[in-house]
Amino acid sequence: MTVTSEQRFGEFVVVRRHEGQDHVAELVLDRPKAMNAVSTDMARSIATACDALGADRDVRATVLTSSHERAFCVGADLKERNSFSDADLVRQRPTARAAYTGVLELPMPVIAAVHGFALGGGFELALACDVIVADATAVVGLPEVSVGVIPGGGGTQLLPRRVGAARAAELVFSARRVEAAEARELGLVDELVEAGRDREEALALGARIAANSPVGLRAAKKALRLGQGLDLRAGLEVEDAAWRSVAFSSDRAEGVAAFNEKRRPDWPGE
């Protein structure tokens, strides 16, 4: 796949665009020497890259990938943390949180391409995405209680929304690692593909998503996210508000016209 543009955010994060996938952005975790352990600098770069992606109306889907052959991300940089005083940890916390919320709050659909280890904060980055594509080598888990902390990148909130409260409790309390087949069975990942194909399949899914209305995609994501945890009546009000935000858009007019004219839509994006 030919890279047509590349923008680096700090030393450890890259955003790429590819030939033939004009509306798909690849957000690459690129700290291979540390298996993508999230340092303060890397967290800051993830947040900055997400701010840029969120403001880019040309991006209809984002795919979160890793440059390391054997790991998606092994979580927080515990070597760096070991040098922290309590005051250092307090100061670093907003920077760490901004990385995870940056991925979580991206306004377009986001797909994680997971292979190898996705542990702790690494799995939380994947959980912040809308869809997780994992290959057969994937090993996921939230082992934070085994080192005296708890998941702090959204794991205690995002995991039960995927698998239910009791299953999430078992996984968090036991700190166990889950291999790919069981992870798919439990719903920890959404699609399981052959070893080495997670990135390719995730980018292909991103391209299929990006063929659709950018206005519709962002509104649908907003409705899905805001409706979580609400009762049905409140959720339907969220959906109605999202529907009204797109019903009178240029994208809606183009979509209906293209359907009736039996052609592909040329989305205005507004």
Side-chain angles (χ1 to χ4, degrees), residues 8 14 19 34 41 56 76 100 102 117 143 149 165 209 241 245 252 256-258:
R8 184 165 287 276
V14 183
E19 185 177 356
D41 285 346
D56 189 342
Y100 299 103
F117 297 112
V149 292
I209 289 171
S245 74
R252 194 275 310 169
V256 172

Side-chain angles (χ1 to χ4, degrees), residues 5-75:
S5 69
E6 181 173 295
Q7 183 178 5
R8 184 165 287 276
F9 292 83
E11 187 178 354
F12 304 126
V13 176
V14 183
V15 172
R16 292 178 180 144
R17 305 291 281 271
H18 300 280
E19 185 177 356
Q21 294 191 339
D22 296 337
H23 301 291
V24 179
E26 182 182 7
L27 176 58
V28 187
L29 305 176
D30 188 32
R31 195 186 178 203
K33 290 182 179 179
M35 299 180 82
N36 289 330
V38 182
S39 64
T40 302
D41 285 346
M42 186 173 178
R44 189 176 293 113
S45 295
I46 292 171
T48 303
C50 287
D51 284 344
L53 285 169
D56 189 342
R57 300 293 298 186
D58 191 51
V59 178
R60 301 178 190 172
T62 295
V63 180
L64 180 61
T65 70
S66 162
S67 65
H68 194 283
E69 292 183 357
R70 295 186 295 109
F72 175 72
C73 173
V74 294

Side-chain angles (χ1 to χ4, degrees), residues 123 127 132 159 162-163 181-190:
F123 189 39
L127 289 172
I132 302 174
L159 188 59
R162 271 187 163 266
V163 300
E182 185 186 3
R184 176 64 183 88
E185 182 181 344
L186 296 179
L188 300 175
V189 304
D190 302 301

Side-chain angles (χ1 to χ4, degrees), residues 196-248:
R197 291 186 56 85
D198 55 295
R199 177 176 174 270
E200 179 182 350
E201 295 291 344
L203 285 168
L205 175 58
R208 293 195 296 274
I209 289 171
N212 296 308
S213 159
V215 172
L217 288 170
R218 290 183 180 224
K221 176 163 180 173
K222 188 174 183 179
L224 286 164
R225 286 290 177 90
L226 292 180
Q228 287 183 9
L230 301 179
D231 63 52
L232 179 59
R233 186 179 296 274
L236 290 173
E237 290 302 316
V238 167
E239 180 183 80
D240 185 65
W243 179 86
R244 291 175 185 276
S245 74
V246 300
F248 310 104

